[in-house]
Structure formats: structure tokens, C-alpha cells
Amino acid sequence: MKLTLPAFIGRIAFSALAALIGAIFALPLLWFLFAPFNARAELGLALPDPWTLSNFVTVFGNSFAVQALWNSFIQAVGGVILVGAAATLAAYALSRSSIPGKGAVTYILLLFSSVVSGSAAMVPIFLIISAAGLMDTHLAVILTFAGGLLPTAMFILRDFIDSIPKSYEESAMVTGASPVQAFFDVALPVIRPGIVVVVVWSFVNIWGSFLIPFILLRSDKNMPAAVAIYSFYSEAGTPVVTLLAAYSLIYSLPVIALYLFVSWKFGFRFFGGIKA
Amino acid sequence: MTTDLNTAPARRKPRNFALLSARAGAAFLTPAGILVSVFVIVPFFWVIFVSFTNRTLLGRTALNPEFVGLANYLALFDPATFFQRGQFGFSLILTTQFVLASALIGQALLGLLLAWLIQTVPPWVKRITETFVIAAWILPEVVIGFAWFAFLDRDQGTLNMLLESVGLPPGDFLLDSPFWVIVVFNTWRGAAFSMMLFNSAFSSIPPSYFQAADVAGASSWQKFRDIGLPLIRGHIVTDLILITMWTFNTFTPFLLTNGGPSYRTELVSIYNYRVAFQDFQFGKGAAVGVIMMLINLAFALVYLSLGRKKRA
């Protein structure tokens, strides 16, 4: 279709406006693209001259910073394994078994999970962890996140499993497979994409979260990177900007990598709607 | 109900046939059931219980809390101090304004505008814009907090540098207008969700509707008002409820302002944290938690009833 002149000008105005909004969104992040590579970085925006990786060397020479990254890894992976395994089993049961009241269970789970947020339930979560004697342990963070993320994870996976024809497992069972075999050998490979989504989603959530580890952990040796970065800039008098910038970038890399992975594999729309 | 096309009516399975027996199903549900009970359902009831005690983090009442009835709630809603800075009422009103300004106006409107814009712009503009809007949303909150800390720095921050370069006076925004800082911050942080939701809603409208409007000579605004907007009404309601809930519960501004200066950015979530973990008053903090959960419950019920209607 031929564009009239006003329509053409409209197009350009639209593009300019979209680009302007994009630029405004980029502004707070620009500093973050340059400072990690600038050996003399301060809070001001400046092009690195010369570009250097020395800040990253500083990070990896800082044992507290490295330990915190490792702690983030333990907590996120531990939580993800727990969420992935428990959600898969539960979602499969909710989708395929004859348990009465499955719909009600799903509804109540969704209701509770949106009512009980970390910022509303911080007092009872602290009390439960402290009553269980788990204060200041990785397990405290892992269990708390697993419990909190599971309802949504089950809901996503149940939707996914419901969309797969039952005939897959039925034919396996007709040829003599036990229900457990049908689950592990037939259903599990088919629902793997759904599990991947749930796993990525919970990893990003745990990896990025601040409040729960901030409340439940006390000692430096258990602190994840989220709390470490915060303590670097909130407590240390004048923050060591070079270290912080490089550290923040390293800490963000897994999230960026997973985002790229999901948008390449599934298209980001799918992932987009389900970040808590 | 869905019908399995592979199953001819004559060979239909007995009514109660299920792939997983009730017992196996129960076993499969157990791990998730325990975790969810302990960390979602128990906290819900425990917070109500604790809110009626004078439990503290330290001292005598940490181990032997006493039942104090409604004392915590009466303290929260004490009319003499309710609206004072650093009191519950102040943070509740602050949070309401924060949700209205940053979620309902900021995120939803900006997201709607962005979603509409990127329908028509060249793909490369769309890609670049989307990248930065989504980056603001997916990067971890601590990193975002620090990036804004640097962005807003009075002496060296990017924002003041820009303002000076166009001849505007620089400012110490975190000190002078902290509330507007967290409003802009949250709008910036969360607009991506609304953009993506509305974007997929717009893309699901058949292109022929817009083509017909083009033939009739409709302007972009007319197409937006008469075709786009009415057809995505359901998505708008969903979006508003979700972003309201998230913004109401968000703790992220704490990473930027710590609730200060002098309580001016103390949202209810931050107030709850301060009362419980800095003033050590668990009973009072629990009462705040109960009120937050009641507000969450109201929103969740509206949201779920809408979802049910859609499915039915």
C-alpha cells in the first residue's frame, strides 16, 4: 500500500518516539556497560580509556565476592532441583490421577501463593526457619524459595501436561508398562520443555532475589551475591566502584544468558508472562 | 470437556480410569505438598497468630510471648499517630500513591504506548527499544538498585551530567524528591511486563481489521481508540491487577533509598521490615503482614474470578 505524506511523517514520528523511549530506558544502564571495563571508573559516566579487564581480576581476587557467587549458585541450583522435581511430580499427579478435588487444589494453591508474598510473610518465614534450627544455612534459603515458587511452577506445568494427549502413556501401559514406567520413560521426555521453562524461571527468581537471603542469612560465608553487592554499596562507606561494577556484571551474566536461551528456544513471550 | 479423538465411543474406557491411581497420585503430590504447606500455608496462619502476641526478636518476650489481643492492630491504627511520618498510616498512603502513580499510570500507560508504537516501527527500532525495556525488567534487583544509585549521584551521576549539558540545573533527587524517584524507578523497572502483555494482545487482533481502517483513512489514534483498545480490554484488566499486586508487595525501592530519607519512601513492605527486623517488634510486624495479606487476598480473588469467567 502506498503511504500518503502524513502517514509517512507519522511513521517517522512513531519511530523517533520509540527510539527516544528506548534511549531513556537505556540511560541508567549505560554506566553499567562501560564502568566494568574502566580501571578508573567512578559513579560518573565515562568511556574506558583504555578498555581493560583489570576490574574482573580484582573481583576474582576478592575471596568474599567469589564465595558469594558460589553461595548464589548453591542456593539457586538447590532451589531449582527441588522446585523442578517436586513440581513435575505434583503437576503430573494433578493432571493424570483421579484424586478428587484437583481443580480446587489448584485454585487454592494459586490463591495462597498470590496472597503470601515474601514481603508480607517475612515474620512467619523467619520464625519457621528459626524454629527448625535452620537459621543462617543454605538449606533455609533453598527450602523457603522452593515452597514459595512451587504453586506457580505446578500451575505452569499442569497446564503444559494437560495439553499433551494421554494416549502416549496409555499405549505404553497397554503394552505392559507400569504407571511409574509410563511416567519416567514416556511422559517425562515429552514434558521436558515445560520443565525447562519452570527450571529457568525459578533459577532467575532465586538468583535475583534479595529479601529472603537478607533476612535468613547472617554470616559472610553463606551470603549470596545479591546481599554481598548490597553490602558493598550500602555499608562500605565509599563503595569501591570498579569492583562493584565488574561484580554486578558477572552476577547478571547467568540471567542474561538464560534470557537469551529462552528467547532463542521458546520465544520470550512465553517466558514473559510468568516472571513473578 | 475435551474428547480424545483416538478413542472411539465403543471402546471408551471405564469411567474411573486414570493413568495414575489415587495412591500413586498422592505419593507424587507429597513432596510439593509438604513444602507448600510449610512455607506458604503455615506462614499464612502463623502470621495471624503472631499478630495477636507481643513477640519480639530479642529479650524476654522472644521466648515467651504473651497474648495481647488486638493491641498491635490498635497501635497500628492509633488515630493520634496514624498519619505521622514513619507510622503505618503514612506508609499505607504512600504505598497507595506509589501504586497509583508508578503501576496504574506509569507502567500500564507507558507499556500500552510502547506496545502500540512497536507495532508499526521498523524492526530494528523495535528490537533496540525492546532490548532496553526488557533489560530493565530482567536484570537482578540489586544490580538495578546500584545502577540507579550511580545514575542519580549528585556529583557525578549520568542524570545530572545530562541535565547540565542541556543547561538545566542539576539536583540531588534522592534527597529532594525521593518519592518521585521511586515512582520513576518502578515505572522504568516494570514497564516491560505491560509492554509484552499488550504487545501480544495487539498482535492477536486480525490484521484485516486495521487494513480495513486504513482503507477508510483512519488515523493511528482512531485505530488505537476504536479497534485496538476495545479488543484488548480483558488484557488491560489482567495487567492492572497483576502490576498492582506486584507493586504493592515490592521491596526493591529499599535497595535504592532504604526507606528514607526520613521515611519518605517507606512503603508498607519496607515498613514491615523495619518494624520486625530493625525495631525487633515481631508481633507488630506480623500485624502489618496480616493487613498486607488481606489486601493481597482482595486482589487475588478479583483476579482469579476473572480468570474463571474467561475459562468457562
Side-chain angles (χ1 to χ4, degrees), chain A residues 1 11 14-15 17-19 21-22 24-33 42-45 82 86-94 96-99 103 107-117 119-131 140 143-144 146-148 150-151 154-155 159 165-167 169-170 173 179-180 183-184 204 207-211 214-215 218 225-227 229-230 233-234 239 241 244-245 248-249 251-252 255-256 259 268-269 271-276, chain B residues 4 6-7 13 16-22 24-26 28-29 31-32 35-36 38-47 50 55 57 110 113-114 116-118 120-122 125-126 128-130 132-151 153 156-158 161-162 187-189 191-193 196 199-200 214-215 220 245-246 248-251 254-256 258 269-270 272-273 276-277 282 285-286 289-290 292-294 296-297 300-301 304-305 308 311:
Chain A
M1 212 174 93
R11 275 283 162 92
F14 265 42
S15 298
L17 187 56
I21 297 177
I24 292 172
F25 267 83
L27 278 178
L29 295 173
L30 282 184
W31 173 86
F32 191 47
L33 288 174
E42 291 174 322
L43 290 175
L45 185 64
L82 211 51
T88 305
L89 290 174
Y92 189 73
L94 284 178
R96 298 295 203 241
S97 79
S98 56
I99 290 178
Y107 183 83
I108 288 170
L109 274 180
L110 268 182
L111 188 64
F112 266 96
S113 69
S114 32
V115 168
V116 183
S117 70
S119 51
M122 53 180 120
V123 170
I125 284 172
F126 180 92
L127 292 174
I128 288 169
I129 291 297
S130 122
L143 291 174
T144 306
L150 261 171
M154 284 160 67
F155 184 70
D159 247 17
K166 281 185 179 179
S167 48
E169 296 114 287
E170 280 169 357
M173 285 164 73
V180 174
F183 170 72
F184 280 104
V204 170
W207 185 264
S209 279
F210 169 79
L211 181 60
F214 185 59
I215 292 173
R218 287 281 160 265
V227 184
I229 291 175
Y230 176 71
Y233 75 82
S234 73
V241 175
L244 255 167
S248 301
L249 185 60
Y251 169 61
S252 305
V255 174
I256 298 169
Y259 161 73
F268 193 61
R269 302 285 159 266
F271 189 50
I274 57 172
K275 189 191 173 214
Chain B
D4 193 349
N6 296 325
T7 322
K13 303 277 183 325
N16 285 327
F17 179 84
L19 284 167
L20 222 51
S21 67
F28 274 35
L29 276 170
L35 279 165
V36 174
V38 174
F39 290 97
V40 180
I41 301 190
V42 170
F44 178 79
F45 293 103
W46 202 343
V47 75
V50 177
R55 181 147 190 167
L57 182 60
L110 188 60
L113 174 69
L114 274 166
W116 185 251
L117 283 179
I118 61 177
T120 48
V121 303
V125 177
K126 176 181 155 127
I128 295 174
T129 304
E130 270 187 334
F132 284 111
V133 177
I134 292 176
W137 186 59
I138 58 157
L139 287 172
E141 53 186 345
V142 207
V143 171
I144 293 299
F146 182 50
W148 272 73
F149 198 69
F151 178 63
D153 186 70
Q156 306 171 27
T158 310
M161 198 188 78
L162 269 172
T187 303
W188 177 89
R189 167 85 168 151
F193 176 77
M196 288 189 289
N199 187 27
S200 75
D214 280 334
V215 170
S220 182
M245 287 182 77
W246 292 335
F248 177 74
N249 284 285
T250 185
F251 190 72
F254 175 86
L255 297 168
L256 188 58
N258 253 305
S269 59
I270 302 174
N272 190 2
Y273 171 76
F277 293 97
F282 270 23
V290 170
M292 289 182 74
M293 287 187 189
L294 286 178
N296 285 340
L297 181 67
L301 284 174
L304 288 175
S305 70
R308 278 204 157 174
R311 215 166 270 195

Side-chain angles (χ1 to χ4, degrees), chain A residues 1, chain B residues 208-218 223:
Chain A
M1 212 174 93
Chain B
S208 59
Y209 291 18
F210 292 117
Q211 283 156 7
D214 280 334
V215 170
K223 284 189 281 184

Side-chain angles (χ1 to χ4, degrees), chain A:
Chain A
M1 212 174 93
K2 251 172 77 182
L3 282 175
T4 57
L5 188 64
F8 180 68
I9 293 172
R11 275 283 162 92
I12 291 180
F14 265 42
S15 298
L17 187 56
L20 179 71
I21 297 177
I24 292 172
F25 267 83
L27 278 178
L29 295 173
L30 282 184
W31 173 86
F32 191 47
L33 288 174
F34 297 127
F37 305 99
N38 186 347
R40 286 166 295 153
E42 291 174 322
L43 290 175
L45 185 64
L47 276 181
D49 180 33
W51 289 72
T52 167
L53 294 176
S54 69
N55 295 339
F56 294 94
V57 178
T58 315
V59 170
F60 287 112
N62 183 322
S63 60
F64 174 54
V66 175
Q67 177 72 40
L69 279 174
W70 177 242
N71 293 337
S72 287
F73 182 78
I74 296 175
Q75 288 162 18
V77 170
V80 160
I81 292 173
L82 211 51
V83 172
T88 305
L89 290 174
Y92 189 73
L94 284 178
S95 176
R96 298 295 203 241
S97 79
S98 56
I99 290 178
K102 290 188 300 188
V105 170
T106 312
Y107 183 83
I108 288 170
L109 274 180
L110 268 182
L111 188 64
F112 266 96
S113 69
S114 32
V115 168
V116 183
S117 70
S119 51
M122 53 180 120
V123 170
I125 284 172
F126 180 92
L127 292 174
I128 288 169
I129 291 297
S130 122
L134 290 175
M135 224 34 174
D136 199 21
T137 60
H138 291 311
L139 196 58
V141 177
I142 292 172
L143 291 174
T144 306
F145 274 120
L149 296 176
L150 261 171
T152 316
M154 284 160 67
F155 184 70
I156 296 167
L157 262 177
R158 188 195 162 170
D159 247 17
F160 190 85
I161 298 172
D162 279 345
S163 72
I164 294 168
K166 281 185 179 179
S167 48
Y168 286 19
E169 296 114 287
E170 280 169 357
S171 47
M173 285 164 73
V174 166
T175 51
S178 72
V180 174
Q181 276 175 323
F183 170 72
F184 280 104
D185 299 340
V186 181
L188 210 49
V190 184
I191 61 182
R192 207 163 45 199
I195 300 176
V196 170
V197 168
V198 164
V199 160
V200 169
W201 169 79
S202 27
F203 183 92
V204 170
N205 267 294
I206 304 177
W207 185 264
S209 279
F210 169 79
L211 181 60
I212 295 294
F214 185 59
I215 292 173
L216 298 181
L217 302 175
R218 287 281 160 265
S219 61
D220 284 357
K221 71 177 205 311
N222 291 327
M223 243 166 229
V227 184
I229 291 175
Y230 176 71
S231 68
F232 275 156
Y233 75 82
S234 73
E235 286 161 19
T238 21
V240 188
V241 175
T242 47
L243 175 98
L244 255 167
Y247 194 35
S248 301
L249 185 60
I250 298 171
Y251 169 61
S252 305
L253 281 180
V255 174
I256 298 169
L258 285 173
Y259 161 73
L260 292 175
F261 168 75
V262 169
S263 62
W264 161 67
K265 192 103 194 202
F266 305 97
F268 193 61
R269 302 285 159 266
F270 184 40
F271 189 50
I274 57 172
K275 189 191 173 214

